[in-house]
């Protein structure tokens, strides 16, 4: 039976004990590898200690500042993908730090073996979301820089929501 080399790409900033448990669980399968990106604002030391000695586990070579709605998160994901592809992975699975597989490793590998020609990605249109958190992210105006006015604006926006947008998302070309 053909074995797939599956790379799990983990973005995290908190809970190194959980990350250690997650990496230990995943690397129990000999065909699974783990790459970890720790947000540059967090201390990487406890994460390194939590996975110390685990096989097929590595850290991102370049760390990024990952904040909501900013490009640093995309750069971190791309760095992990680059490392996984360079290592010859057949599949890459992106996980946020608090994720944990609900299926045994064997079932995960069997799933990808059965769906070798299918790519999976989950996305949602937050403008149409019934989830208040996502809907409000779409309706509020956030300043995405680190200037003092932006920090003050975002702090006020957190505690006293300033709904400046309709929340309606229009595709290009729509009126």
């Amino acid at each position: 039976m053909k074995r797939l080399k599956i790379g799990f790409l983990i973005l995290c900033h908190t809970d190194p004990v959980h990350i250690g448990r997650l990496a230990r669980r995943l690397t129990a399968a000999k065909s699974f590898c783990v790459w970890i990106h720790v947000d540059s604002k967090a201390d990487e030391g406890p994460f390194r200690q939590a996975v110390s000695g685990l096989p097929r586990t590595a850290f991102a070579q370049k760390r990024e500042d990952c904040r909501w709605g900013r490009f640093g998160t995309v750069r971190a994901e791309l760095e992990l993908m680059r490392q996984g592809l360079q290592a010859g992975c057949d599949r890459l699975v992106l996980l946020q730090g608090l994720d944990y597989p609900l299926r045994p490793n064997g079932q995960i590998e069997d799933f990808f073996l059965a769906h070798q020609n299918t790519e999976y990605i989950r996305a949602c249109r937050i403008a149409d979301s019934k989830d208040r958190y996502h809907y409000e992210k779409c309706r509020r105006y956030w300043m995405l820089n680190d200037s003092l006015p932006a920090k003050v604006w975002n702090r006020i926006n957190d505690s006293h929501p300033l709904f400046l947008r309709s929340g309606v998302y229009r595709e290009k070309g729509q009126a």
Side-chain angles (χ1 to χ4, degrees), residues 2-9 31-35 56 80-93 119:
K2 180 185 188 256
R3 306 221 35 110
L4 292 178
K5 185 173 183 179
I6 302 174
F8 290 86
L9 315 176
S31 60
F32 288 5
C33 302
V34 171
W35 283 270
R56 300 174 311 286
L80 292 174
M81 288 178 193
R82 182 188 63 73
Q83 288 181 237
L85 291 172
Q86 282 182 341
C89 287
D90 299 301
R91 286 297 190 146
L92 298 175
V93 179
E119 297 295 328

Side-chain angles (χ1 to χ4, degrees), residues 23-175:
R24 212 170 358 278
R25 154 78 187 282
L26 292 172
T27 57
K30 294 199 183 331
S31 60
F32 288 5
C33 302
V34 171
W35 283 270
I36 301 168
H37 177 277
V38 179
D39 189 315
S40 66
K41 296 182 301 297
D43 180 7
E44 195 177 59
F47 294 91
R48 286 189 176 275
Q49 185 176 0
V51 301
S52 177
L54 290 180
R56 300 174 311 286
T57 302
F59 283 82
Q61 293 171 357
K62 184 174 182 224
R63 294 177 63 199
E64 298 287 343
D65 180 352
C66 298
R67 297 180 196 215
W68 185 88
R70 298 199 191 170
F71 203 70
T73 303
V74 175
R75 283 193 300 268
E77 291 170 353
L78 290 172
E79 173 64 18
L80 292 174
M81 288 178 193
R82 182 188 63 73
Q83 288 181 237
L85 291 172
Q86 282 182 341
C89 287
D90 299 301
R91 286 297 190 146
L92 298 175
V93 179
L94 181 63
L95 301 173
Q96 296 293 323
L98 298 179
D99 292 340
Y100 198 84
L102 295 176
R103 304 278 184 210
N105 288 350
Q107 283 184 16
I108 295 170
E109 185 174 20
D110 290 345
F111 176 83
F112 284 123
L113 278 168
H115 300 90
Q116 290 185 50
N117 297 318
T118 306
E119 297 295 328
Y120 295 90
I121 188 165
R122 179 179 167 247
C124 66
R125 288 174 47 122
I126 63 173
D128 298 336
S129 178
K130 303 296 183 224
D131 181 283
R132 182 177 174 187
Y133 173 82
H134 288 115
Y135 185 69
E136 287 184 7
K137 286 288 187 188
C138 184
R139 290 196 57 209
R140 295 187 201 181
Y141 182 79
W142 300 93
M143 295 184 136
L144 301 179
N145 64 52
D146 291 325
S147 68
L148 181 59
K151 289 178 181 179
V152 170
W153 175 271
N154 290 339
R155 179 69 52 98
I156 291 169
N157 201 3
D158 272 340
S159 59
H160 297 57
L162 305 168
F163 295 104
L164 301 177
R165 296 180 179 167
S166 68
V168 175
Y169 175 79
R170 291 177 182 82
E171 298 287 341
K172 268 189 174 177
Q174 283 184 330

